[in-house]
Amino acid sequence: MTDIIDELHWRGLIAQSTDEQALRAALAAGPVTFYVGFDPTAPSLHHGHLVQLLTARRFQLAGHKPLALVGGSTGLIGDPNPDRERTLNSLDVVAGWVERIKRQVEPFFAFDGPNAAAMVNNLDWTAPLSAIEFLRDIGQHFRVNKMMAKEAVAARLNSDIGIGYSEFSYQILQALDFLELYRRHGCVLQTGGSDQWGNLTAGVDLIRRVEGATVHAMATPLLTKADGTKYGKTAGGAVWLDPDMLSPYGFYQFWLNLDDADIVSHLRVMSFRNRDEIEELEKQTVERPAARAGQRLLAEELTALVHGADEAANVVAASQALFGRGALDELDERILGAALAEAGAPHVEAGEELPAYVDLFVEAGLAESRSAARRALAEGGAYVNNVRIDPGMGPEARPRRSDLLHGRWLVLRRGKRTVGGVDLS
């Protein structure tokens, strides 16, 4: 086993821990069982969850045994938001989301071998528990004044919204998870984001009170930009892991477009390349930023991990082909469609005769006017399906039906880097 704590420190992945020296000793003494949890409050996990998934994967690669918890019960309540009340979803909806999130979590772990991962659902131990048992056996160990000090709870208490008892009790449910996993699996470590620190330590305290045992909690920093601000939404929404909610191409493009100021920290947090390789990529980012070597590596690595190696190869090929470094007509229809959808390709009505290129360039947002489009064509800077449009064809030049990719799309480019498309189906 490697010294996982030193590795995590170098990568900037430890924000807080209950007792780092004691945790070091436990990890060095032999394989430990640990858990990380995900609540199904949406149909999919998003890029913020990747920090937890990848950190757990590092622990397993270092020889430790992961329990991946998908919260069938905690997902029915939801960890309190500091500024709004959560929407409570139905039992059937949450159960469906549990299954979807299980499928998203599975690629990150090995489920065979000496330290095989296990998937667990906290509904298994909360569903049989009566309200009286919960209040008497678990609730007695919690002090309301301490629960009220939690940041999100305090924010809600001081707002006009207030906080309901169900959300207020969430930390008791999460603490119960740690206790049950300690009893059932010998779990002695919980990992989570720094915004979960109060919930993590609640479990540590509950086990100490009930079992008289010492266990550990470790929190990772939240994923932020170089200036310390949180990531907002992309143009199309969150960076979902589910391919039905964000195409693998869109996922790849998010990482490919990371700012140079962010790529160094993101490589450390998210890439499984070793220290020498990452430091070389950091050097390349400074010396040759236009090559975007770090972004390309991270985008491909994460896309392969989340969506599979074959899908990653397809989206890399699509990304290259759109910018003239590959054959567009060899791209899979689904991948090409996703790439053009990500580029915002509009649907253009077409009669028997297809519209002129000048109109298509305006429709695709590659020219602000027909006159600008005519200049691009006349200067030889306009391309269709990676082929330069001959300026000698004149301003009313138009594509043929045989030019349509998969019978519907044209990929248009102005110069080397400005790409768009149209759907003429």
Side-chain angles (χ1 to χ4, degrees):
M1 290 187 293
T2 62
D3 191 335
I4 183 65
I5 297 297
D6 284 346
E7 172 81 1
L8 295 178
H9 269 304
W10 178 77
R11 291 180 180 275
L13 279 168
I14 300 181
Q16 292 168 289
S17 64
T18 44
D19 184 335
E20 185 176 307
Q21 293 309 311
L23 178 57
R24 279 183 184 271
L27 294 167
V32 305
T33 299
F34 70 98
Y35 98 92
V36 59
F38 305 95
D39 278 344
T41 53
S44 174
L45 300 180
H46 56 71
H47 65 302
H49 295 109
L50 281 173
V51 178
Q52 296 312 312
L53 287 165
L54 296 170
T55 300
R57 182 179 174 90
R58 294 185 200 283
F59 271 104
Q60 186 177 33
L61 291 172
H64 305 290
K65 179 180 174 62
L67 302 172
L69 183 148
V70 181
S73 64
T74 43
L76 291 166
I77 303 299
D79 196 19
N81 277 317
D83 54 0
R84 68 183 187 278
E85 189 169 2
R86 282 195 178 273
T87 300
L88 299 183
N89 297 294
S90 71
L91 294 172
D92 289 343
V93 166
V94 172
W97 290 354
V98 165
E99 295 307 312
R100 289 180 66 159
I101 290 173
K102 281 182 179 179
R103 292 194 294 270
Q104 294 160 31
V105 167
E106 284 173 352
F108 292 85
F109 300 104
F111 290 88
D112 53 17
N115 63 327
M119 196 82 72
V120 293
N121 184 341
N122 54 21
L123 195 62
D124 293 345
W125 52 84
T126 53
L129 193 64
S130 73
I132 293 297
E133 289 173 311
F134 177 70
L135 292 172
R136 179 182 173 86
D137 298 339
I138 306 301
Q140 65 167 312
H141 299 291
F142 289 82
R143 296 295 173 263
V144 171
N145 58 329
K146 190 172 181 180
M147 294 172 68
M148 289 170 63
K150 184 184 175 187
E151 186 176 345
V153 172
R156 288 279 292 278
L157 286 171
N158 294 321
S159 72
D160 294 334
I161 306 171
I163 187 168
Y165 182 73
S166 56
E167 284 184 274
F168 179 69
S169 302
Y170 178 92
Q171 59 188 288
I172 303 180
L173 288 172
Q174 187 165 328
L176 174 61
D177 291 343
F178 201 173
L179 175 62
E180 285 293 330
L181 293 175
Y182 172 80
R183 289 171 168 172
R184 295 169 181 235
H185 299 275
C187 178
V188 295
L189 169 64
Q190 181 183 179
T191 62
S194 57
D195 59 339
Q196 290 285 306
W197 185 244
N199 294 334
L200 272 61
T201 55
V204 171
D205 189 54
L206 180 62
I207 292 171
R208 178 183 60 79
R209 289 173 179 271
V210 175
E211 300 290 342
T214 298
V215 294
H216 310 278
M218 191 202 83
T220 60
L222 299 181
L223 188 66
T224 61
K225 299 178 183 179
D227 61 6
T229 59
K230 294 181 180 180
Y231 279 99
K233 305 289 188 180
T234 63
V239 185
W240 301 109
L241 306 193
D242 190 316
D244 292 335
M245 297 177 69
L246 177 66
S247 71
Y249 182 86
F251 181 85
Y252 174 85
Q253 288 295 316
F254 173 81
W255 303 107
L256 185 64
N257 291 323
L258 279 181
D259 192 275
D260 287 341
D262 297 321
I263 188 58
V264 170
S265 62
H266 282 55
L267 280 168
R268 293 192 181 205
V269 167
M270 295 186 155
S271 175
F272 284 87
R273 298 302 176 103
N274 63 39
R275 185 168 183 164
D276 289 343
E277 291 174 297
I278 289 175
E279 288 178 344
E280 175 59 29
L281 287 166
E282 292 173 2
K283 182 180 176 184
Q284 290 182 37
T285 297
V286 173
E287 295 177 351
R288 293 186 291 117
R292 303 185 71 74
Q295 285 93 331
R296 293 181 188 282
L297 182 142
L298 185 62
E300 189 167 353
E301 185 175 339
L302 289 178
T303 305
L305 186 56
V306 173
H307 296 294
D310 289 345
E311 197 77 346
N314 286 336
V315 299
V316 170
S319 182
Q320 292 176 341
L322 286 181
F323 290 92
R325 298 189 300 275
L328 286 166
D329 57 1
E330 294 179 3
L331 293 181
D332 177 86
E333 181 177 0
R334 177 179 55 86
I335 297 293
L336 178 60
L340 291 176
E342 198 68 27
H347 184 272
V348 177
E349 292 294 332
E352 284 190 24
E353 191 175 50
L354 298 181
Y357 283 124
V358 290
D359 296 314
L360 293 175
F361 270 72
V362 172
E363 289 281 357
L366 301 181
E368 62 274 15
S369 64
R370 295 184 88 250
S371 59
R374 281 195 292 268
R375 282 196 303 273
L377 266 69
E379 293 166 359
Y383 296 79
V384 59
N385 298 344
N386 289 336
V387 177
R388 188 170 69 95
I389 301 171
D390 184 357
M393 294 174 65
E396 296 306 315
R398 61 189 69 237
R400 298 161 299 181
R401 290 278 173 188
S402 58
D403 294 326
L404 298 182
L405 300 167
H406 298 288
R408 60 184 299 187
W409 290 299
L410 291 176
V411 175
L412 306 173
R413 177 157 50 91
R414 185 176 180 181
K416 292 183 177 180
R417 295 184 176 276
T418 309
V419 174
V422 290
D423 181 354
L424 292 157
S425 58

